[in-house]
Amino acid sequence: MEFLRSATGMATSSLLPPLCPNAYRTSLPFPMASTLSVARLRRRTFRGRVVAGPIRVVASSSVTTRDQGGGRTADFGRSETSADSLRGVHEFERELQELFDEVKDMIAVGKHEDAVSLLQANFEAVKGEIDSGSRSIEEAAVLDVVALGYMRIGDFKMVETILEMMDEVVGRIYADGSLLGSVLMHMGSMYSSLGKFEKSTVMYRRSISITEQLYGETSTFLVMPLLGMAKALGSIQRTAKATGIYCRAINILELSRGPESEDLVVPLSGLGNLLIMEGKVDEAESPFVRILSIYKTLYGDKDGRVGMALSSLAHVKCAKGDVNEAINLYKKALQIIKDSNSMALDDPMMEKMRIDLAELLHVTGRGNEGRQLLEECLLISEKSKGKDHPDSVRHLLNLATSYSRSKNFVEAERLLRTGLDKMMRTLRPDDPSISFPMLHLAVTLYCLKRDEEAEELAKDALLIREEAFGEDSLPVGEALDCLISIQTRMGKDDDKLLALLQRVLKIQEKEIGCESEEVTVTLKKIVFYMEKLGKKDEKVQLQKRLSVLKMKYKQMIHY
């Protein structure tokens, strides 16, 4: 059983901690629109009042030099008219920035309704102009800010609606200006957040093309869209192309800022993660070793960033199978971060490192050391959030898992009941989070041979999950599997158990795949019950399918 790392109660994968300095972040990254000239002004609602806008802009042909990668602004030839136009453009961008900042501030202080009202007012204003036939960069830019605001609020359905509208607008804009490139880059990022990676790559590709035309193929302005493009491609398993794009971003930064620049950390980390995902762990080690070297050179051996880099390198060592080296690196990382005071003890990244290290210690038979780390996580959580905070429950579950591994089911039961009691006192009875300690407790009681109690808890967890996640969801399949094990030992009706197993199989085929190892194990159980119930005709077809899968997983299935 894997230790829990998230507040949902679900076990999360051991992802690398982000090594992402704010090298490429701005409050709202609209570049200076120095290639735009104003044609005319209309009126637009931004901050609950009417201000000048939108401005209709066209690409200027006055670019005389290009940014060659040093991050300097290009030299543009301008007439007196273009200078006046530029002032109008800057005013427009200033108002966009003010709108975005105001929405951020409202969300930060919990005024979500006010933020939504402000965003909706601007959305309706732009929609009215689009409905009247206007299709220009100004509509796209305002919609961009509104969509980014809804992203912060978490209204992804509204974001999707706005992106569809933006897609139509930018599809009719052919003047390649820097503002358009920035809008397209934001669209690529938002499409990625929605899981629409193919669409994301289309937006990033066009943004990159515009930036290359404006500033050249080695400009640092390309780094942001290149990194976004690489991440999106990696998400759809186009890893070879993603690797090439990460390497291009690295080369651009090396050319402009040198091989020891901290800005290299982001693309190097992205490249390393991608190589791990491909299973190329030997190649993945090099980017993380280089990140460690950069941080040591810039900040010294005792800086907290060095600790984070060591943690990432530990993850690579673990993937390579060098568990003892990974343990040593994790310990060193935690000590450096703690001594440097660079991160709060209750920071989620610190917590994740402790849990990852605890899991490795358990794997290598050093359960007592691992349990000490899990107890430390619990104490820190209780100190920072209070003993009754639901967040402490996952640490109680982790400790219970540790004790279960050591066959100390009595202590595991005590911890699980404590956690379940906390959740029952602070959450609704049907909150899906409650089902996780509930199901863990059912398993523990099963191990203690208290089957009637275990069955009741498993049934309660199943009902909660069916309501929360849907009857054909993986969490429901997990609860069913637990219930089947309990009822099998209780000698429940074989026909009913077979029906439950068939339901589990359906869920697994849908959610995991028809040839997954989990499906193979469930098929084996179904064949057993069909044989027991004399359903020979139905058994034959499943047995043929099982035979094929057994060949695939013959090293994994134990009879």
Side-chain angles (χ1 to χ4, degrees), residues 351-422:
E351 182 179 278
K352 183 183 180 304
M353 276 187 267
R354 289 190 205 96
I355 294 172
D356 286 344
L357 176 55
E359 188 156 11
L360 287 179
L361 289 167
H362 277 83
V363 167
T364 55
R366 297 156 67 179
N368 288 334
E369 288 182 68
R371 201 171 298 126
Q372 288 175 5
L373 282 166
L374 297 176
E375 288 171 348
E376 185 180 349
C377 287
L378 175 62
L379 291 172
I380 291 170
S381 177
E382 289 180 340
K383 184 177 179 180
S384 63
K385 298 176 182 177
K387 287 192 173 184
D388 290 330
H389 197 282
D391 243 18
S392 64
V393 173
R394 57 197 166 95
H395 301 303
L396 289 167
L397 263 63
N398 285 340
L399 274 170
T401 300
S402 174
Y403 279 109
S404 293
R405 286 178 174 179
S406 301
K407 307 300 181 184
N408 189 346
F409 299 114
V410 173
E411 180 61 16
E413 180 193 356
R414 185 190 70 79
L415 291 164
L416 289 167
R417 289 197 183 280
T418 300
L420 183 58
D421 181 61
K422 284 185 182 184

Side-chain angles (χ1 to χ4, degrees), residues 66 205 207-219 222 226 248:
R66 293 184 173 189
R205 190 176 293 112
S207 176
I208 290 166
S209 176
I210 290 170
T211 307
E212 286 175 338
Q213 291 173 31
L214 288 170
Y215 306 114
E217 295 186 354
T218 59
S219 169
L222 286 164
L226 284 172
R248 183 184 174 190

Side-chain angles (χ1 to χ4, degrees), residues 424-452:
M424 295 292 285
R425 283 189 280 109
T426 54
L427 300 174
R428 299 188 324 271
D430 61 345
D431 190 294
S433 301
I434 291 175
S435 71
F436 293 96
M438 192 176 284
L439 201 62
H440 275 261
L441 182 55
V443 172
T444 301
L445 292 171
Y446 173 80
C447 293
L448 289 167
K449 295 184 169 52
R450 288 155 61 183
D451 294 342
E452 288 77 12

Side-chain angles (χ1 to χ4, degrees), residues 217-277:
E217 295 186 354
T218 59
S219 169
T220 53
F221 293 147
L222 286 164
V223 173
M224 276 286 282
L226 284 172
L227 293 180
M229 179 82 155
K231 186 175 180 181
L233 288 168
S235 298
I236 50 178
Q237 285 74 54
R238 292 164 67 180
T239 52
K241 193 162 187 178
T243 299
I245 293 175
Y246 275 125
C247 290
R248 183 184 174 190
I250 290 167
N251 290 336
I252 288 171
L253 288 169
E254 286 176 334
L255 179 65
S256 64
R257 299 178 186 176
E260 298 294 331
S261 171
E262 187 176 357
D263 294 343
L264 286 162
V265 169
V266 178
L268 284 169
S269 181
L271 177 61
N273 288 332
L274 185 67
L275 291 169
I276 289 174
M277 186 175 71

Side-chain angles (χ1 to χ4, degrees), residues 275-286 316 319-321:
L275 291 169
I276 289 174
M277 186 175 71
E278 284 188 273
K280 298 179 179 179
V281 290
D282 290 328
E283 295 178 46
E285 186 171 356
S286 178
V316 180
K320 291 179 70 175

Side-chain angles (χ1 to χ4, degrees), residues 4 10 26 57-58 67 107 166 239 263 289 296 334 378 469 493-494 534 546:
L4 305 180
M10 297 292 282
T26 58
V57 294
V58 295
D67 169 19
I107 296 170
M166 291 174 69
T239 52
D263 294 343
V289 168
K296 282 186 174 181
L334 284 166
L378 175 62
F469 303 116
D493 184 79
D494 289 341
L546 181 60

